[in-house]
Amino acid sequence: MGDPYLWEHCVLGITILGYVVLAVNAYLNRRKRMRLSEESKTMSECERCSVEVAKSLVPASSVPEHRFRGMHLKMSSMRIEFENLSVKLKSNKKCILEGVTGEFRPKRVAAIMGPSGAGKTTFMNALCGRAYYGTTTGMIRINGQTSSIAAIKPLRGFVPQDDIVHEHLTVREQLYYSARLRNEEDTPPAMINNIVEDVLNVMQLLDVQHSLVGDVEKRGISGGQRKRVNIGLELAARPTILMLDEPTSGLDASTALEIIRSVKRLTAIGMTVVMVVHQPRYSLFTLFDDLLLLGLGGRTVYSGKSEGALPYFRHLGFQMPQHENPADWVVDVISGKVWNEKDPTLSRKLPEAWAEFMPNLTALLIDLEMQDTAEEQIDSFAFTMALDAKLSSAGYKDIDDLSQEQFLSFLEFLQIQKPSDAAWAHLTERMGFEDGFISQQRLVSFLLGLTGSFSSQDEAEDVASEASNMTKQRFISWIRRKKPRLGGHHQRFLFQYLILLHQNSLRWARDWKHKLISTCLSMFTAAVFGTQCKQKLIPENILCPGKISTSQLALGLVCGVVSLQIFSLDRPLFWRESASGVGVAAFYWARLTVALFDVLVWCYLYATVWVSFAQAPCSFWLWLIPFRMTALCASGVGVFMSTVVPKQSTTLATTVLLLVMGGALSDPESIAESEGLGSALAFLSPFTWTAGENYLAVIEVSGGEEAVDFFAIPIMEGYQKILQCLGGSALGYLHSASIFCSIFGVILLMFGYFGLRFVHRGKQA
């Protein structure tokens, strides 16, 4: 006969292997961070050298500090038009947004402003299909097609006001996982890394790319950097339209200005940026191209170019004092705090005034969209003349081709620090050295390319070609889908599951201190309850069934409460990821897979310590198996509660439910008689099955039923009735308990999945 506990040895081996894999993954990730840090340093050094050469030749040239390599938008441009957009609350039918009409044009930054209670965030939510708390009416057109922004999630980025980020991941890791999950499944790894590099550079996060974000208890990056990460998570998806809900809230004026400047850079690659802001300072106000002003009651009081707002209100008779912040003054006008000598009642009629004036808007505003077609020719000529002059001064007159040694000497002449060997090799490849030489014409072409948004002219052309592939017919078919799919393709569950599993394994490794504390507390609990069971685990002792049941209940409470952390603390994070296209099933099962190893380890340690202190009879495995069934069922209770109960009440709700299920064991007469609520609770409680299996096993190895104390006979008979319900004595008590607890655990996990998927469904839009 083979080993009867072969399966248990396999489970133990799988658990140990799982912990080893988690530890090795953490080590490999650390090595990868070091490699990526060196590569990022090399790229930054190469960029620095290139920019310094261009600035040394033509100081007045417009050369950005970083050129995009991976931020290729999925669609070249997007125009959003909205007409009579309104929202009524479902609770009291109150209209909080009424008849808002306007448009957001591509490659521009649009700001939504207004006093508190004007419906700015409501308007943003209605536009994105996130106003789950109200009924939305009106029409939205995307590039001329009637649709909604919710129908094009892969092309949309929504940055919430709260900084919802992964606290246990580094800045770079967060951006990497966002890029991996929210771009097409077949996106090459090199492309993903380029996207991450672009986001790190444009959001000025290179210096903290390997720093943990942290939380209130464990300090990580600063508040401004956390806000940049919050925005960067959406940029990693390469959206064509980026929507931000008060991205400057809680920031000082200087940090807010830097962040908006960084975001404005994205318009150069075709992105449309729309943001809700609250009374920005003047320097920030000047960065906005378009402005939508909402008055009290959620009605439009102005919609158009930002430079046209002041002339419009002056036209109405409002006078702005000198040295006043235009943004503050405009909000004060809308709030009714500015006196109008022309019409003192006009402050209450601004929406009507705008509706009357809107047809004449074109006559008032001046179109400032001018393009200088000769700029490229001037820059090319300027670079050519400057390069000739500098080469002549350096002693390389009338030389058409420069060798690498000559170019390094030229850098020294320009007083530019020589790059490292790795950066030099990358720079020569980018510049186009062939057989160790580069022509002056090729060098001028490279320098001229530095003034663009992309790393090379060829790449810019490829981007334009790729974006143009989004034809009108393809776009129409996309927005008419009943269920939009991430990146235009259905990403398989396994693809997202493996990425999220890797992400959660890093979270597990970073949370080792908490894991250690939880493990020590579970072992301490086992020692306390095991000591109380010493010399009492015999049929002759009336306390035997009670001690077994309390030991099972103790383990259940430990596992149930600890399992609350799997989802209850990260619900906002899940809502954000689900809204961006991450599958609920992949998120759910990836979290559970990593948590399962912790539960199994706690079972082994709890059982080992308890059996040792209790000096328990029977085989170790006969105690371990029921303990594991208890732990898995209690963890299922914790998971279910963490998905459906408000965060503030999850601990109490889990404890109460487990105590109620455990309390069913204290009514042996109802178990024996199979009557009443107590009997029903006993049958449905996993503690009945696990503790009953333990108690009946003790009876079997310690003298049989004849040795049972007279007052414990009803308990024994009650356990026997319950455990024989699934097949009688032929199946065996251990197998009966295993079958019931498996069914119970699976049902709870499925309830947890449905709770995560359908509770707060509106927040996942």
Side-chain angles (χ1 to χ4, degrees):
M1 180 181 293
D3 187 354
Y5 299 110
L6 177 62
W7 168 246
E8 296 303 322
H9 290 97
C10 292
V11 173
L12 177 60
I14 293 173
T15 304
I16 296 174
L17 179 62
Y19 258 61
V20 171
V21 170
L22 291 173
V24 171
N25 179 66
Y27 170 76
L28 294 178
N29 184 71
R30 184 180 181 87
R31 293 281 302 272
K32 181 180 179 181
R33 289 209 315 268
M34 297 173 61
R35 177 178 58 81
L36 290 175
S37 181
E38 290 298 323
E39 292 179 359
S40 182
K41 182 179 178 181
T42 298
M43 298 290 291
S44 299
E45 191 175 359
C46 180
E47 287 288 332
R48 173 195 59 79
C49 185
S50 302
V51 171
E52 289 182 358
V53 171
K55 289 289 187 180
S56 298
L57 295 177
V58 183
S61 60
S62 177
V63 180
E65 295 295 327
H66 176 79
R67 275 147 302 285
F68 297 105
R69 294 183 178 83
M71 290 292 292
H72 306 165
L73 303 186
K74 299 168 184 174
M75 188 174 182
S76 58
S77 63
M78 184 178 295
R79 186 187 192 96
I80 308 295
E81 300 171 275
F82 42 94
E83 183 177 346
N84 293 325
L85 199 61
S86 303
V87 175
K88 284 187 178 180
L89 293 177
K90 294 179 180 179
S91 57
N92 56 12
K93 306 300 180 182
K94 180 182 178 181
C95 187
I96 56 177
L97 191 73
E98 183 178 356
V100 180
T101 299
E103 65 175 349
F104 297 133
R105 291 179 287 175
K107 303 182 181 181
R108 297 173 70 86
V109 177
I112 305 169
M113 292 176 53
S116 298
K120 302 183 296 295
T121 299
T122 297
F123 168 76
M124 181 84 80
N125 289 335
L127 204 60
C128 296
R130 298 166 60 93
Y132 58 90
Y133 44 82
T135 302
T136 304
T137 58
M139 180 178 294
I140 299 174
R141 288 187 293 271
I142 303 175
N143 288 354
Q145 301 297 320
T146 302
S147 182
S148 69
I149 297 181
I152 53 168
K153 283 186 180 181
L155 304 181
R156 179 208 76 184
F158 184 89
V159 181
Q161 180 177 351
D162 298 324
D163 299 330
I164 304 173
V165 294
H166 296 270
E167 298 169 349
H168 297 287
L169 298 180
T170 67
V171 172
R172 188 183 189 99
E173 288 167 353
Q174 306 216 33
L175 300 179
Y176 169 80
Y177 288 118
S178 180
R180 197 73 185 91
L181 288 167
R182 297 182 60 182
N183 285 284
E184 287 78 2
E185 183 178 344
D186 56 353
T187 303
M191 178 74 166
I192 296 295
N193 288 330
N194 285 339
I195 294 173
V196 174
E197 285 291 334
D198 286 344
V199 177
L200 289 171
N201 276 277
V202 76
M203 298 310 299
Q204 302 177 24
L205 291 168
L206 275 175
D207 293 339
V208 294
Q209 61 175 309
H210 296 304
S211 301
L212 292 177
V213 171
D215 53 18
V216 176
E217 296 181 358
K218 186 177 180 181
R219 180 68 175 176
I221 58 179
S222 67
Q225 292 166 338
R226 191 182 181 95
K227 181 70 69 176
R228 296 174 189 271
V229 174
N230 189 33
I231 299 173
L233 290 175
E234 299 302 315
L235 295 183
R238 302 183 295 149
T240 304
I241 180 170
L242 179 67
M243 314 189 80
L244 306 97
D245 187 6
E246 299 204 23
T248 60
S249 62
L251 302 178
D252 60 86
S254 178
T255 303
L257 182 61
E258 290 178 359
I259 288 179
I260 300 306
R261 280 177 176 168
S262 298
V263 172
K264 187 174 177 63
R265 277 200 60 195
L266 300 167
T267 59
I269 61 175
M271 191 176 295
T272 302
V273 180
V274 181
M275 66 181 70
V276 173
V277 291
H278 186 70
Q279 293 185 264
R281 71 177 188 177
Y282 178 71
S283 55
L284 196 153
F285 183 78
T286 59
L287 296 177
F288 303 142
D289 300 307
D290 299 314
L291 196 62
L292 172 63
L293 299 178
L294 298 178
L296 296 176
R299 301 180 65 186
T300 309
V301 298
Y302 176 81
S303 178
K305 293 189 176 182
S306 58
E307 62 265 29
L310 295 182
Y312 168 70
F313 286 109
R314 290 195 187 103
H315 172 76
L316 295 179
F318 294 97
Q319 298 299 321
M320 185 180 74
Q322 290 185 348
H323 311 297
E324 180 80 11
N325 179 5
D328 291 338
W329 181 76
V330 166
V331 174
D332 288 342
V333 170
I334 300 173
S335 303
K337 299 178 181 179
V338 179
W339 178 260
N340 190 315
E341 296 181 357
K342 195 179 197 180
D343 184 357
T345 64
L346 186 59
S347 296
R348 298 192 298 270
K349 300 183 295 184
L350 288 176
E352 291 79 4
W354 170 250
E356 180 180 349
F357 179 80
M358 191 163 49
N360 303 320
L361 182 63
T362 306
L364 177 68
L365 300 181
I366 301 175
D367 188 1
L368 298 178
E369 294 181 5
M370 296 182 299
Q371 296 181 355
D372 187 2
T373 56
E375 182 179 355
E376 182 177 341
Q377 296 178 358
I378 295 174
D379 285 344
S380 178
F381 178 76
F383 275 119
T384 301
M385 297 301 295
L387 182 61
D388 286 339
K390 292 291 185 179
L391 287 175
S392 298
S393 301
Y396 299 119
K397 187 177 182 180
D398 298 329
I399 296 181
D400 294 332
D401 297 331
L402 289 174
S403 66
Q404 292 190 16
E405 292 76 12
Q406 291 172 331
F407 189 78
L408 286 173
S409 177
F410 182 56
L411 292 180
E412 185 178 354
F413 172 78
L414 296 176
Q415 297 182 345
I416 297 175
Q417 182 181 357
K418 178 185 176 181
S420 63
D421 293 341
W424 172 245
H426 185 76
L427 181 60
T428 55
E429 181 181 354
R430 283 186 58 193
M431 294 176 64
F433 275 84
E434 295 181 358
D435 299 328
F437 290 88
I438 186 174
S439 65
Q440 287 194 38
Q441 182 180 0
R442 183 69 185 89
L443 181 56
V444 170
S445 177
F446 169 75
L447 295 174
L448 186 60
L450 296 177
T451 62
S453 299
F454 291 94
S455 58
S456 68
Q457 183 64 27
D458 293 339
E459 188 169 347
E461 293 174 357
D462 291 341
V463 173
S465 176
E466 179 183 349
S468 66
N469 289 333
M470 178 67 77
T471 62
K472 182 177 181 179
Q473 290 77 14
R474 181 182 172 192
F475 178 67
I476 293 175
S477 64
W478 193 350
I479 63 177
R480 287 181 178 175
R481 287 177 181 168
K482 293 183 179 180
K483 183 177 181 181
R485 292 169 179 166
L486 188 62
H489 301 284
H490 178 62
Q491 292 197 335
R492 293 175 292 111
F493 162 80
L494 182 60
F495 170 73
Q496 291 189 349
Y497 171 78
L498 292 176
I499 295 175
L500 292 170
L501 185 64
H502 188 270
Q503 179 192 86
N504 283 285
S505 67
L506 296 183
R507 288 167 49 93
W508 175 89
R510 305 265 167 76
D511 202 24
W512 66 270
K513 291 183 179 179
H514 176 265
K515 305 294 184 187
L516 181 61
I517 293 174
S518 299
T519 301
C520 292
L521 289 175
S522 65
M523 294 173 66
F524 173 74
T525 303
V528 170
F529 282 86
T531 302
Q532 294 181 356
C533 293
K534 188 176 181 180
Q535 297 180 351
K536 297 182 178 66
L537 300 179
I538 53 178
E540 294 86 352
N541 195 317
I542 185 61
L543 298 178
C544 179
K547 293 299 181 181
I548 293 176
S549 63
T550 53
S551 298
Q552 293 280 1
L553 182 59
L555 177 60
L557 286 171
V558 169
C559 294
V561 172
V562 173
S563 297
L564 293 175
Q565 307 169 47
I566 301 177
F567 295 108
S568 64
L569 299 179
D570 289 332
R571 284 188 197 174
L573 188 63
F574 163 72
W575 295 334
R576 178 174 186 174
E577 294 198 345
S578 178
S580 64
V582 174
V584 179
F587 183 92
Y588 183 78
W589 294 111
R591 284 284 180 103
L592 285 185
T593 301
V594 176
L596 175 63
F597 289 103
D598 287 332
V599 174
L600 290 176
V601 168
W602 291 334
C603 286
Y604 286 116
L605 295 178
Y606 185 94
T608 302
V609 174
W610 187 88
V611 169
S612 175
F613 277 81
Q615 297 181 0
C618 308
S619 167
F620 168 79
W621 301 105
L622 284 178
W623 293 103
L624 171 68
I625 296 173
F627 277 140
R628 186 176 66 227
M629 291 187 289
T630 294
L632 293 176
C633 290
S635 298
V637 171
V639 168
F640 173 63
M641 290 296 179
S642 70
T643 61
V644 298
V645 178
K647 181 175 64 175
Q648 298 83 352
S649 305
T650 52
T651 302
L652 179 60
T654 302
T655 303
V656 169
L657 181 57
L658 291 174
L659 286 175
V660 168
M661 290 193 299
L665 302 176
S666 61
D667 190 5
E669 293 183 359
S670 64
I671 298 177
E673 297 172 2
S674 300
E675 296 178 356
L677 178 62
S679 177
L681 289 176
F683 179 81
L684 295 176
S685 171
F687 297 108
T688 303
W689 296 78
T690 55
E693 194 282 328
N694 278 148
Y695 183 48
L696 295 178
V698 169
I699 294 175
E700 183 177 350
V701 300
S702 302
E705 298 181 6
E706 294 78 9
V708 178
D709 183 91
F710 173 77
F711 295 99
I713 292 177
I715 299 177
M716 177 191 69
E717 293 177 348
Y719 281 142
Q720 289 175 338
K721 286 186 176 181
I722 293 292
L723 269 72
Q724 290 177 1
C725 289
L726 298 180
S729 57
L731 186 60
Y733 299 138
L734 182 61
H735 290 89
S736 296
S738 299
I739 292 174
F740 176 86
C741 290
S742 297
I743 296 174
F744 185 88
V746 169
I747 291 175
L748 280 176
L749 292 180
M750 293 306 298
F751 281 172
Y753 168 76
F754 289 120
L756 190 68
R757 185 179 186 90
F758 295 109
V759 176
H760 301 292
R761 185 64 177 168
K763 296 183 179 181
Q764 304 175 37

